[in-house]
Amino acid sequence: MALTEEQKTDLYKLGVGIYDAAIGTVYGVFLGGLLESGRSVGQLYESLSREQSFVAQSPGFAAAATSTQFSTAFVDHATGDTLSAQNRDWAIDFLAGLLDGGMSRGAVMHLAIDALDAVPHDNANFGNAAAQFDNKVEVARY
């Protein structure tokens, strides 16, 4: 069974959102196989949120990091320098609040990446970050 276009897009978004890179053939085949075997995209985020390949990217991704440390590292990782200080702080506080409320790191990353992907590029607050993210996803396709 081949992956649907939606599943492929989800994998590109996951790779760019978590690793800031295309997932590559080996990871793509492996993760695609997991989707084909019945795993959900959310389950992939959960698994990868604990993988050394993700955690090693930033001290903020370590298991011992606080919700704010994790959220700061993730927002900076996902958006680079595209946000104003006010919007960056809002995003960090929002994600940290979700984590403090019991949402898992994988679920928070999945939600944040899907939300960023849905932002129109002309949005005054997050449009630049969305445009950068969408461009990286498009490049990852090739």
Side-chain angles (χ1 to χ4, degrees), residues 24-94:
T25 302
V26 173
Y27 248 138
V29 169
F30 174 71
L31 295 173
L34 292 175
L35 287 178
E36 288 176 329
S37 72
R39 292 245 180 116
S40 70
V41 173
Q43 288 172 317
L44 297 183
Y45 276 93
E46 287 300 327
S47 295
L48 292 174
S49 72
R50 295 183 295 275
E51 284 291 323
Q52 185 60 26
S53 60
F54 171 71
V55 174
Q57 295 180 84
S58 170
F61 296 152
T66 66
S67 296
T68 299
Q69 290 168 328
F70 179 86
S71 298
T72 300
F74 186 70
V75 167
D76 290 347
H77 178 77
T79 64
D81 63 357
T82 61
L83 300 179
S84 69
Q86 180 181 6
N87 289 328
R88 178 182 175 270
D89 290 346
W90 181 89
I92 290 167
D93 290 345
F94 180 75

